[in-house]
Amino acid sequence: MADTMLGSTAGELPAKNVTGMTGTGAAEAVVCYSPMMVTTYGIWQGVSPLEFSLPLFILQTAIIVGTTRLLVVLLKPFRQPRVIAEILAGVILGPSLMGQVGTWAGTVFPLRSLLTLETVAHLGLLYFLFLVGLEMDVNVIKRSGKKAVIIAVAGMALPFCIGTATSFIFRHQVSKNVHQASFLLFLGVALSVTAFPVLARILAEIKLLNSDLGKIAMSAAIVNDMCAWILLALAIAISEVNSTPFSSLWVLLSGVAFVLACFYVVRPGMWWLVRHVPEGETISDVQITLILTGVMIAGVCTDAIGIHSVFGAFVYGLVIPSGELGVVLIEKMEDFVTGLLLPLFFAISGLRTNLTRVRDPTTVGLLVLVFVMASFAKIMGTILIAISYTMTFRDGVALGFLMNTRGLVEMIVLNIGRDKQVLDDESFAVMVLVSVAMTALVTPVVTTVYRPARRLVGYKRRNLQRSKHDAELRMLACVHTTRNVPSIISLLELSNPTKRSPIFIYALHLVELTGRASNMLAAHHTAANQSRSGSSLPGASEHIFNAFENYEESVGGVSVQALTAVSPYQTMHEDVSVLAEDKHVSLIVLPFHKQQTVDGGMEPINPNLRGFNESILAAAPCSIGILVDRGISAATARMSSVHHVALLFFGGPDDREGLAYAWRMVENPGVCLTIIRFIPPGYTPPPPAATMAPPAVAGSRAITIVPDIPRTERQMDEEYLNEFRSRNVGNEAILYAEQVVANSEETMAAIRNLDNAHELYIVGRQPGDESSPLTSALTEWMESPELGPIGDLLVSSEFSKMVSVLVMQQYVITAAQPAGTAAAVAVQAGATIADDPVRQYLTNANQRSPMSAGGRGVWGGGF
């Protein structure tokens, strides 16, 4: 290919760089690159920098990357994967559009410059395929289960057979002037592949990565991708037009020997390297450099064998252990490779896509027909397999379109086919555009077809006040880093987990979706209940899950399910809300966005965590607790036999939710609870609210629903405190005190005068009335509004006590519902529910304000 390009571009070069040779030794012009052609002496010498290879290559790279990023931004509202923007950028910059402008084609992308651009692009492709292999787990085929393997095989075999059969029928019109057998083989491989990296990013973008559909699609795509590489190696070996049968056999045998050498020689060596790294230290730079050099050596080996160099890089990436070594390699390379070098390869594909060469409508129509037939076969095959596994028809259609995701592997197949002259320019251009169109259809079709059933009916325990204090507690604990784990486990220990009142905890590790391969597979490994030894985040996910599992084994009454959510921080709260609703959770525990330093101060962990917490507070379908760790996770605090907890009660739904959680804690024999109620001077309890039932009609069989009489917040506070006190008469572990304060200054002074024996303060996010003089001045000086005025005061630098704080927010339905998941679903289903009286009653019962479930006990006895 290089010789052909050099010969064909001679006319584009300056005369001094071309030497014509007409002797017996050469039939073509030979291009001799002068050393001065690499860099320029500057524009002041009267020479254009674009006549030299390095300045021209830098300009081309900047234009390609800039155009790609612009298209990514433009396509983001349509939720299209990045690969579409990268391919379209090459088509726009190539001869199909911008190349029609003569100045542009001759100045910015002249033919003589494509050799340099293509060489660097293939180097980037080499390292990207190494990263793809690195993020895959070779044991995934064993663990994927029969369903995923059958879906993957059906998704490859059917389109391969139907695509090649249709192409064979129209072979005289479709594969003109090319080797027909090789054309059919390459076309079959291109039609049957599923782009695993692109599919993973699509699933993450449309929030299906943790769904049942997403798990099956990911497992099947990994199996499909590995099979595609085997087929591609076979296709390259067999498709040599001028080769003998024995040479193709030697290519196959050499390829098998290379794979065996990688798995049985290179892989043990990598494990030996990992085991000999001292604990607490990372892989040295010298070792990293040697491993990355091995990528090029592997590429050279497979290229010398007769298989494309990217196959060697992919297999070499597969054998690298995906533990700490894999994470270090990905973090060092990924941004540079995927952000800068990989767009060059897609740009090359676009520059080769010349739509002006597409002149024969018959060929175009038949190629599109072949592609549509193969895609239809993959969709129908997937639907049939899915229905046989009792999946719905809609889920089968969504899974079929997901398996039709195209991307890098297909571009590689098409480019190799064009390089080997198996595909002509017309076939190449049509296949590229049809692949882009098919991938662009995936997201809108799947989001339209796939409608997961929402289990809203029966979800009553949306807060702790509505639940019984000794009933099971379903809690969702969000974890960002390993530092969040000890504090959450300490909170669980205080929450009195017993077999009589068990706690079901969903430990959710939140991973930011950055488009990086290093975090894409985490959810798939954990949600599919696979072995975590291959987790791509061993330093975080695996340690987090192991800690919760160890706690579950050592304590009775706790059931832990470890999950991972991979999402951008801007939409991460949606994943948490959906999961909380799906699991019927009563409480979501969030870590504060700041952590304690050695000197006792608080420093931010990640600026995005604050926005995430605020979004959850506005959209969650249940109650929220924000945990500020200022010593509760310390070993001395956890080993203590007696734990002192204080509840600061001002009134209101949030404070009642804090009292409900403290009620559960006080059931623990090792917890001493102090309730400090802040009241204004001259406070008198309001009279209890009375309810009046309408007179029953004689002989009527109708069900009479007695509406709740509207009550004030003070009445509900008194009722719930009365119920708490009556149920805990004689409990010496509870101390109740009232503190009379007139304004915010006295409130602050009273809190500062509390003794130092407490390990945890429980406060409401919005204590009492917003205009209450007890807290109104504190509200004006809040640094962290998500904690409320009292919580913000307790964690501020002005508060000298190092005490952990749990800030509670009760789930309350108001007239203007938050834009959360439950609210959105309720609005969508509003018309249907209104037409059905039974569903209307159930919906009202499920979504009645938690305030109406307040206790109706009376004061009885003392503490």
Side-chain angles (χ1 to χ4, degrees), residues 485-502:
V485 177
S487 57
I488 292 175
I489 291 179
S490 299
L491 184 65
L492 285 175
E493 291 175 347
L494 295 176
S495 303
N496 189 38
T498 62
K499 292 183 179 180
R500 182 171 171 267
S501 58

Side-chain angles (χ1 to χ4, degrees), residues 675-687:
I675 301 176
I676 304 168
R677 187 182 185 188
F678 293 83
I679 57 176
Y683 174 80
T684 56

Side-chain angles (χ1 to χ4, degrees), residues 476 478 508 510 572-580 588 612 616:
L476 175 61
C478 297
L508 182 64
L510 298 172
M572 192 177 284
H573 64 281
E574 297 176 11
D575 288 347
V576 177
S577 297
V578 169
L579 182 62
I588 299 175
F612 163 72
I616 282 286

